[in-house]
Structure formats: C-alpha cells, structure tokens
Amino acid sequence: MAVQNERNLLKRRDIDALKTVEAAFHSGPLADLLASAPELERRRDLTREEFEREYRFNGRPVVLEGYAADWPSVRQWTFRNLAERCADVPVVVDSYSSAAARTTTFGAFVDLLEENAGSGADPLYLQEWYYQTTAPHLAADMPELDIAQYDFRRDLYGEAASTNHQLWIGQQGGITRLHQDAYSVDVMHAQIVGEKLWHIMGPGAELLPGPGGEPGLDALCTSPDTRLMRFVLRPGDVLYLPALWFHRIELLGDSIGLGRKCLDEANLRVHVRQRIGELLALALNPDELRVTHSELFDVVVARARALADRMDIDLSRLRQ
Ligand SMILES: O=C(O)CCC(=O)C(=O)O
C-alpha cells in the first residue's frame, strides 16, 4: 500500500482521517469554538463589478443574499414535483461513503426520503449528482449566473463541460464532511430548497499530529490561518468560496442546493496539473488508488465520466 505522506489531516481522504476530523466537529476544542465562530459576510444587491472588485480579486468569500431568488427552481421546486419529472433517472445515493453508496432511481430515492423521515434512521443524501448527463431538462430552471462568467473552463473544455453542475439533495441532518474542492476551482453554491449550515476554514488551516501523535486541535483552534467562519445558506442565496477553502455542510432541513464551480484564470496552471495528475493516476495506478482512496475513488470516476460525456469524448478511442 502507498505511504500516506500528507500530514495535514484536513486534506486527507482516507476513512480514519475523515472520521477524526468529523468527530472534532462534535466534541472537543473545535466543537466548542463552532458556536462562537464569526458569521461570513452577507451582501444583498451586489453588482457584478462590486463582486469582482471587493471579493473575487481579493480571494474573499461572501454570501450573495437572494442572488438566485428569481430562478424557477427556487420558486417552484419541491421533492415531489422533481420526483415526477425525474422518476426513472438513475442516481447514486450516499456516494460519499463507500459503505453506504447505492444506485437507485430518483423517484425511488424520494419515496425513501419520505419513508425515512422521522424513523430514526440515518439521513439520506444524494451528493454531487451530475444531473445534466442524465436529466438535462432540469438545467433551464437554474440559469447561468452573470457573476460566474469568469469561469475559465469554458475556454479549456467548452461550454457544455463548464456548465456541468451538480445537485445536492438530502434530508435534515445530512452532512458533507469537511473537504477542499479538487482542481483548485472556486465554489459557487446556490441554495434552492431548505437551509444549510456551512462551516468554512481558510486554505492555510492545518490539523497536524501533536507530539504524542494525537491531532493538534488546540493549535488548529488558535492559529490565525484557520479563519473558521459559519453561516446559513437560505433559498435564493449564492455562496462564493474561493479555491481551496475548506467547507463542511449540515442540512438544517430537507435541502436542495446547486454546486457550480468556477476556474479563475489565476489558478489555471495548477488546475491543469491536478487534472492531468488525476487522470494519469487513474489510468496507471487504479488498483492501488481503490485501496488507498476507498471513499473517493468512485466519486472521482463518476466526475471523470461526467466530464467525458459533456465533452463528447469517446472512451473507446485513444485518439479523438
Ligand atoms: O451542499 C453540500 O452538502 C456540499 C456542497 C459542496 O461541497 C460544494 O458545492 O462544493
């Protein structure tokens, strides 16, 4: 097995590290700090120019309150009417946990949500659903954002692949564990139904082993690089989170959110290197990766398939 040489537990994707970090959100010094963490700035009626000048060019996260309030999805979507429109569409539920992940249809998923509610069972979460490859008719309800026009993936991969967004649909209590997004892309997350509590930390946050090997949570909590903040995203709100900020999400009610990403040209070189690195690793070393990255492997393959699909790439040919 490969040597795990990433010392920062917040960046590791093996199950032990994921569990340690998640546990720190429930008890101990980090959990104590969460309640008093400062709120992320919220702005209403921000113009695109103000957004660029005050936030994007400075790498400052912000919630754009009500920025997507007039989207048809925000005004009309419910779990039931989505189920009617996507009854037979295949989806992978709880894809972020290799032990819980399973394939079903969207209609059956919504039936399960209703059965599950109040039963005491673990909440269900359909994470990172690339709906445009399987349910493209939903896209018109989530129009492109003018503040996302800087997304350089248009030039790199073409229009279709750069608008290959993901839906996150789940039940009260569902959690997406702390992570940084891959490929150095900015997060622009639009909340459609329900509310989500976000905790974020700056790209420099580190949870390193202490002298006895135990995680150095006190150091994480006191370091100025941690920059822990919290906020609730409500229907119509859009979050801008610059590349490499850590984020953890908890569903306060049944929730639907749209995760769309933007590549800032400033991060182009590192983005391309990470993409090529991932594809080479998948092509040349899949067996080892499946063991060392059990929680991530299938998600990464699903992402690569969605990208190939949106770029019209024929996977049976070596030269396109
Ligand atoms: O909403 C969630 O549970 C996770 C969203 C996320 O990680 C993202 O949009 O990058």
Side-chain angles (χ1 to χ4, degrees):
M1 200 185 292
V3 177
Q4 181 65 260
N5 56 12
E6 174 58 65
R7 288 186 76 238
N8 185 356
L9 278 162
L10 305 181
K11 290 185 183 239
R12 278 182 28 194
R13 309 309 300 153
D14 56 285
I15 188 71
D16 290 343
L18 291 170
K19 281 188 175 159
T20 303
V21 173
E22 183 55 31
F25 277 84
H26 296 271
S27 65
L30 180 64
D32 296 343
L33 198 63
L34 294 181
S36 60
E39 292 273 333
L40 179 63
E41 203 178 343
R42 305 178 71 88
R43 296 287 302 269
R44 188 167 269 279
D45 300 328
L46 210 57
T47 64
R48 180 171 163 181
E49 290 68 32
E50 288 166 333
F51 164 70
E52 302 252 286
R53 196 176 56 242
E54 295 179 38
Y55 298 96
R56 182 161 84 86
F57 296 155
N58 293 316
R60 267 174 72 189
V62 63
V63 172
L64 295 115
E65 220 171 51
Y67 207 80
D70 60 353
W71 281 9
S73 51
V74 174
R75 287 193 274 109
Q76 293 155 13
W77 278 12
T78 63
F79 284 69
R80 238 325 112 207
N81 66 32
L82 263 194
E84 280 156 21
R85 293 172 66 194
C86 305
D88 299 324
V89 173
V91 291
V92 185
V93 179
D94 292 333
S95 59
Y96 271 35
S97 160
S98 57
R102 63 216 174 275
T103 302
T104 180
T105 61
F106 189 79
F109 166 67
V110 173
D111 290 343
L112 272 177
L113 287 181
E114 288 169 3
E115 280 164 30
N116 213 36
S119 72
D122 285 346
L124 298 167
Y125 206 172
L126 169 52
Q127 289 163 303
E128 205 174 332
W129 175 29
Y130 286 93
Y131 65 94
Q132 271 162 306
T133 59
T134 47
H137 56 288
L138 298 181
D141 291 355
M142 296 166 279
E144 271 300 86
L145 293 163
D146 66 337
I147 50 163
Q149 293 306 308
Y150 71 90
D151 188 357
F152 202 81
R153 292 177 310 163
R154 284 196 171 79
D155 301 77
L156 264 187
Y157 308 119
E159 184 69 22
S162 72
T163 54
N164 194 20
H165 312 321
Q166 321 98 44
L167 281 166
W168 299 75
I169 303 184
Q171 204 159 28
Q172 177 170 15
I175 283 172
T176 299
R177 292 182 283 210
L178 190 80
H179 66 283
Q180 279 175 315
D181 275 19
Y183 326 121
S184 299
V185 288
D186 302 340
V187 172
M188 254 189 212
H189 195 101
Q191 187 64 14
I192 294 174
V193 172
E195 298 190 346
K196 287 200 284 218
L197 172 64
W198 290 63
H199 285 106
I200 60 174
M201 292 186 206
E206 280 189 321
L207 180 57
L208 299 173
E214 74 296 345
L217 284 164
D218 290 324
L220 175 73
C221 292
T222 51
S223 165
D225 291 331
T226 299
R227 301 168 73 185
L228 175 69
M229 284 183 270
R230 52 173 276 141
F231 54 93
V232 173
L233 216 56
R234 307 196 171 87
D237 291 348
V238 175
L239 164 69
Y240 163 70
L241 193 62
L244 300 180
W245 276 71
F246 293 93
H247 42 295
R248 176 187 182 274
I249 294 94
E250 195 172 325
L251 308 194
L252 298 178
D254 294 351
S255 160
I256 304 179
L258 178 74
R260 69 101 63 235
K261 314 289 166 182
C262 280
L263 173 60
D264 199 306
E265 196 178 347
N267 295 324
L268 179 59
R269 185 189 291 257
V270 60
H271 170 87
V272 170
R273 196 188 150 80
Q274 288 165 342
R275 272 267 178 216
I276 293 176
E278 183 180 284
L279 293 174
L280 286 175
L282 277 180
L284 303 176
N285 199 17
D287 297 338
E288 185 172 312
L289 290 185
R290 202 178 260 291
V291 177
T292 54
H293 293 72
S294 56
E295 297 306 289
L296 200 56
F297 188 87
D298 290 341
V299 176
V300 167
V301 171
R303 270 184 210 150
R305 281 192 185 282
L307 183 72
D309 182 90
R310 298 291 281 169
M311 287 178 73
D312 253 338
I313 287 174
D314 180 349
L315 294 179
S316 67
R317 291 160 57 112
L318 270 182
R319 296 199 166 166
Q320 305 289 325

